[in-house]
Structure formats: structure tokens, C-alpha cells
Amino acid sequence: MGNETIIEIKNLSLSYESDNTTYEALKDINLTINRGEFICIVESSGCGKSTLLSVLEGLNRATSGSVKINGKEIRGAGVERAVVFQSYSLFPWMTAQENVAFAVYETNKKRGEKISKKKAFEIALTFLKRVELNGFENKLPSQLSGGQQQRVGIARAVAQDAEVILFDEPTSALAPELVGETLALIKQVAKEGHTMIVVTHEMSFAEEVADKVVFMDGGYVVEEGSPNDIFYHPKEERTKQFLKRILPPSDYII
């Protein structure tokens, strides 16, 4: 992991109107993420962290400020990012292999690179094997467990060879017994050097895997730093109050 900046967020704000009331979902966010970093975003309440991810995904447009990936505005062409959603978001009429192959084929098509559908299927099978889904390539999503569907989603994201992989609460829709294996797989992918941003409520996972933890509250970035800094030596009062609610008192230093 180097110090080359891949994502630069400056003065990012997002507000929306509902019932004649203006709500500020994001408030003057400033973040710099380096290539190869694993970032975990955690939050005490609200939906700021998921809203920030939706801006990075290109699903929401900020009210003000800018987001650049590799120096390009996020709305520009050629900005590549892959997303692993909490609801899997697989095409229900496609098999596991077809879901991954379709993403590979479309990604290469957008890049202007020629790839045959046969090659896309070969690549898809390779990545399904990497997430231990040998023998499941011809299964439809309805024939797979939640954990297996999430594995397909992770295989699809990694197979696209995107510059940034975004995970939106990847374990929230899983049964408790499947959470551990999914987090272990994400940890394995992280070791491959991908730039990854994970919105999560799994604090032990964030502590173990993240290069940087970003704590948000009320649409603001309250504090950011290494897992050790955030979980054991927090500087901001709001961070301390958050930790008091989720961790035993002896687990952090105030």
C-alpha cells in the first residue's frame, strides 16, 4: 500500500426535501483515501455512511462539493468501481456464472476491450472457484443460500478488476451463522491489495482489518484514524460516547 491518492472528497454535502423540510444527509465531508487502503465507515445513528457510499456509487448526486477518483470527477467517464450490496442484487434469471460473466463482459465492453462471451464465462468460473463456489456455477440465486449469494456478489465485484470496491453493509441481510464466513472472505480479498470501502456495523471486523476507520455522526465525519486510534484512543466526545454504548468500558481508553 502506497501513498498515492485514489479518492479525494472535498467539502461534500447532500441535502434533500421531504414534507417541505430540508434534511442534511451529508455535511461538509472531507476524506482522502490512498490506493490499496481498506476503509471501514461506522456511524452511531442515521444514514450518513450509506448516503456517502451511494454518492461514491454514483446513485446520488451531491448538493455541493466534489468527489474525484484518480483525479476524475465521479460523474466522468472511465471511473470504475464495483459494488457489493447488502441485498446481493443478483439477476434472478441468471445463474451464478452468468451473473459474474455478464459483469465481466460489460466492464470490458465499457473499456473498449474486446472479450468473447466464452472468455467472460471462463473468468467468471475462475472467480467463483476463488470464493469456494465450485459446483454452484449453474445455480440460480433462488437456489443459493444468502451467504452463497453474497459470495457471488463478491466474486462479481472482484472479477471486474475495478479500481475501487464498495461494500454496503455486506452482512446485514445474512443469518448470524453466515456473517463470519462472509467477513473472512472480504478479509481475504483485502489482502490482494484492492482499494476497499466498507460500510459496516461489525466493529471487531473493522478493528482487525481496516487501515483506517471513519466515524460518522449526524452526517458529519467526526473522527478518522487507525483502528487503534478510534477504538482505544478516541479524541472526540461523540466518538467516546459511541464507544461507551457498543464496547465494554475496559475495552477502550478515555
Side-chain angles (χ1 to χ4, degrees):
M1 182 177 63
N3 294 320
E4 180 188 357
T5 297
I6 187 169
I7 299 177
E8 187 176 32
I9 303 171
K10 287 188 175 181
N11 307 118
L12 185 71
S13 296
L14 188 151
S15 59
Y16 61 92
E17 298 283 337
S18 180
D19 297 326
N20 296 318
T21 302
T22 300
Y23 295 92
E24 293 182 281
L26 298 176
K27 305 171 186 177
D28 197 29
I29 304 293
N30 289 278
L31 282 174
T32 299
I33 298 170
N34 292 330
R35 186 177 301 279
E37 276 192 317
F38 191 110
I39 308 297
C40 282
I41 304 177
V42 300
E43 186 180 26
S44 66
S45 61
C47 57
K49 61 185 186 303
S50 292
T51 303
L52 176 58
L53 205 66
S54 73
V55 173
L56 292 174
E57 291 167 12
L59 299 178
N60 277 336
R61 179 172 293 188
T63 306
S64 61
S66 67
V67 179
K68 293 182 178 180
I69 300 180
N70 273 346
K72 300 175 184 178
E73 286 287 346
I74 203 163
R75 293 188 297 276
V79 176
E80 295 181 357
R81 52 212 181 274
V83 187
V84 179
F85 297 96
Q86 56 181 284
S87 57
Y88 322 132
S89 296
L90 303 178
F91 294 116
W93 60 88
M94 290 185 180
T95 65
Q97 189 174 12
E98 288 170 340
N99 264 282
V100 179
F102 178 79
V104 171
Y105 182 81
E106 289 298 311
T107 298
N108 280 269
K109 183 179 177 181
K110 289 177 182 177
R111 292 173 180 166
E113 301 173 2
K114 292 184 179 180
I115 183 174
S116 67
K117 291 186 177 180
K118 179 182 178 182
K119 182 63 176 178
F121 270 78
E122 290 174 354
I123 293 172
L125 186 59
T126 297
F127 281 91
L128 286 172
K129 288 180 178 178
R130 285 177 61 184
V131 297
E132 299 180 0
L133 284 178
N134 310 49
F136 291 88
E137 61 270 14
N138 294 320
K139 299 287 187 181
L140 293 170
S142 61
Q143 298 171 309
L144 299 171
S145 69
Q148 289 168 337
Q149 290 183 62
Q150 194 61 293
R151 284 175 175 267
V152 175
I154 293 171
R156 177 180 58 185
V158 178
Q160 292 176 67
D161 194 27
E163 294 176 290
V164 180
I165 303 178
L166 309 172
F167 291 83
D168 185 6
E169 294 278 12
T171 61
S172 65
L174 297 177
E177 63 270 19
L178 299 175
V179 170
E181 68 177 52
T182 301
L183 293 177
L185 178 58
I186 295 172
K187 181 180 177 181
Q188 174 187 322
V189 172
K191 291 179 179 179
E192 298 173 3
H194 298 280
T195 304
M196 300 169 68
I197 302 174
V198 182
V199 166
T200 185
H201 58 273
E202 301 287 346
M203 299 303 152
S204 59
F205 171 73
E207 180 183 350
E208 180 181 359
V209 178
D211 296 304
K212 182 191 296 181
V213 175
V214 177
F215 171 61
M216 296 184 66
D217 184 52
Y220 289 100
V221 169
V222 177
E223 192 168 353
E224 61 176 290
S226 69
N228 184 66
D229 290 339
I230 298 299
F231 292 121
Y232 297 99
H233 304 282
K235 297 177 181 178
E236 301 297 326
E237 186 60 33
R238 275 190 285 178
T239 312
K240 294 175 183 178
Q241 293 303 317
F242 170 66
L243 293 173
K244 283 182 180 179
R245 292 199 300 271
I246 66 166
L247 298 176
S250 60
D251 282 359
Y252 61 90
I253 300 172
I254 298 299

